[in-house]
Amino acid sequence: MKHASGEWLLTEADDKLTFRASLPGAFGFDQAAHLLRALQADGVPAIDLLPVALPTTWMVNSRAQSKVFREWLLPPARGLWEALLAQLNVSVDEWPALDEERETIASLVERLSRGAGLAAVSKVLGLLRPQLVPLMDDAAVAFAIGAVPVPNEEQATAGPEVFLPMLDWFAAQVRAGEPELIELAKRHTLAVLDAPQVLDRMLWMDAWGERYRRPKRDAGS
């Protein structure tokens, strides 16, 4: 697999996934993502789950305020979310075939990002469209495609223009590493994850989360 600086090897992947799952917010986010996926599989429309997904994004440090959530649950924003969720109801294998839909998707993301930011939008989609959309904090965007500088602190300044490039990159990496990602998902017992979710969690760990794990690892060495 590739990232902005070259080859990306998923080293110590099992340990990193276990460490991430030890973080209360990340653990709760994963449990919620699985439940939301199961509810949709049972026929619940994704848009009906939006009120549940919005506050859950705070578990992974979404910076969207509650007043933004209120706006997103009312017209016209609710309609934008419904349209976006419909457009993104595809797999990483199906994503490259989308063509004319890309302009619509970019427009919807741009409108929803106003006042909230791209990362906040991506964290909702990470719950309701986890098969395709990774979380897009600055560290992840910098690591993946180099579209923003590597941050020195946790921040979310990347704009909606990076959404499509991030999805292109993410879908390609999931396809490239799918066998390994599936095996990692099978071995991970702390949450039910699919291959794209495993890559998203590894993206966070290698782009940012490793700095939290390192002191504990060094202290025991």
Side-chain angles (χ1 to χ4, degrees):
M1 291 183 288
K2 306 287 186 181
H3 72 118
S5 298
E7 198 74 18
W8 184 20
L9 301 177
L10 302 185
T11 58
E12 300 182 70
D14 293 292
D15 290 343
K16 289 175 181 177
L17 289 173
T18 297
F19 172 78
R20 182 188 168 281
S22 74
L23 304 174
F27 180 80
F29 184 87
D30 288 352
Q31 306 307 307
H34 176 59
L35 177 59
L36 292 169
R37 180 169 49 196
L39 289 170
Q40 290 181 74
D42 286 341
V44 180
I47 189 62
D48 290 348
L49 299 172
L50 186 62
V52 178
L54 295 183
T56 303
T57 63
W58 282 333
M59 300 188 83
V60 287
N61 300 324
S62 174
R63 299 194 176 189
Q65 298 179 1
S66 55
K67 65 180 181 180
V68 171
F69 292 164
R70 184 178 187 277
E71 292 173 0
W72 280 350
L73 291 171
L74 294 171
R78 188 181 188 280
L80 300 179
W81 273 112
E82 187 169 16
L84 182 60
L85 290 166
Q87 292 282 356
L88 296 178
N89 193 22
V90 297
S91 69
V92 293
D93 292 322
E94 295 167 321
W95 172 253
L98 271 63
D99 185 10
E100 59 188 35
E101 299 93 341
R102 289 173 66 93
E103 184 176 348
T104 298
I105 291 168
S107 176
L108 290 166
V109 170
E110 191 279 327
R111 293 174 67 183
L112 287 167
S113 296
R114 297 172 189 170
L118 173 65
V121 172
S122 75
K123 291 175 183 183
V124 178
L125 295 171
L127 288 165
L128 297 177
R129 291 292 177 260
Q131 81 282 2
L132 181 65
V133 181
L135 308 190
M136 299 185 190
D137 290 296
D138 281 8
V141 174
F143 182 90
I145 62 174
V148 296
V150 176
N152 294 319
E153 58 184 29
E154 199 166 5
Q155 62 187 40
T157 65
E161 68 277 0
V162 309
F163 184 77
L164 293 181
M166 279 292 290
L167 286 197
D168 291 339
W169 173 85
F170 187 71
Q173 304 321 305
V174 174
R175 295 195 304 274
E178 189 170 33
E180 180 182 2
L181 296 171
I182 290 173
E183 290 305 312
L184 286 169
K186 289 179 180 178
R187 294 197 299 268
H188 186 63
T189 61
L190 296 172
V192 179
L193 304 175
D194 62 13
Q197 288 174 303
V198 169
L199 190 65
D200 172 68
R201 277 56 172 170
M202 288 301 298
L203 172 60
W204 182 80
M205 282 300 305
D206 284 355
W208 188 260
E210 180 69 355
R211 68 187 63 199
Y212 295 120
R213 175 175 172 259
R214 192 178 302 119
K216 292 185 178 182
R217 184 179 59 190
D218 292 347
S221 61

